[in-house]
Amino acid sequence: MTATPDLRTSRLASPDLLRSVFRRHAAGVAVITARGDDGPVGFTATSLASVSAEPPLISFGIGTGASCWPVMSRTDHVGVHVLGEHQQGLAATFARSGADRFGEPTVWREGPEGVPVLDGVLAWLVCRVVTRVPAGDHRIVLAEVVLGDPAGEGGPLLYHQGRFGGLRE
């Protein structure tokens, strides 16, 4: 069932309004990783987007207050991992502040360009960072695909209404 817009109850723009609206927008879930001087870093992202096929470009957003922003702000390459519906725990681990994201039970290996590559994902890419665009309290990272593998099996993990879940068919 859809709602008919009631313009009398509309609210002025605010961080709360934006969060409330986007809680209703189902988004795919990805984990972005990079190699840091003190070890690997990563975070859960729901802002992953395909930007261009030629050249192959992707984008994602990251808050400048994120613990891994210092590494992401200067790295040349990132790993992009599309999570499957069986990876709710992994998504939660990489979303949780202060978590040991690369400790057990996370399974990963060092990939091309030293980028941490996670096992068991639906698909992964290694990308070269092209630019970082200021966007309020975030940066939009544009990155060119270098290589990857789309061969994982299963359905995608989605984020909706503050929860991780799979598709219902």
Side-chain angles (χ1 to χ4, degrees), residues 55-134:
L57 295 172
I58 60 97
S59 70
F60 60 87
I62 179 173
T64 56
S67 62
C68 62
W69 169 243
V71 171
M72 292 290 174
S73 73
R74 61 183 182 272
T75 191
D76 292 330
H77 291 84
V78 295
V80 177
H81 307 84
V82 177
L83 300 189
E85 60 190 343
H86 63 285
Q87 295 178 303
Q88 292 181 23
L90 185 67
T93 296
F94 276 83
R96 193 170 34 254
S97 180
D100 181 4
R101 296 173 177 154
F102 291 90
E104 287 196 27
T106 303
V107 180
W108 64 281
R109 67 191 83 185
E110 185 173 310
E113 304 296 337
V115 171
V117 176
L118 304 175
D119 282 0
V121 297
L122 292 186
W124 61 269
L125 300 167
V126 170
C127 303
R128 181 183 59 80
V129 175
V130 174
T131 193
R132 296 164 184 88
V133 180

Side-chain angles (χ1 to χ4, degrees), residues 142-155:
L142 289 171
E144 185 172 8
V145 175
V146 175
L147 58 100
D149 185 355
E153 295 183 16

Side-chain angles (χ1 to χ4, degrees), residues 5-43:
D6 183 349
L7 300 180
R8 295 170 295 164
T9 62
S10 61
R11 298 168 19 199
L12 291 176
S14 69
D16 182 55
L17 173 64
L18 186 67
R19 285 185 201 102
S20 296
V21 168
F22 274 86
R23 284 178 65 89
R24 296 181 176 274
H25 173 71
V29 181
V31 167
I32 311 298
T33 61
R35 177 182 62 193
D37 293 338
D38 296 326
V41 300
F43 68 99

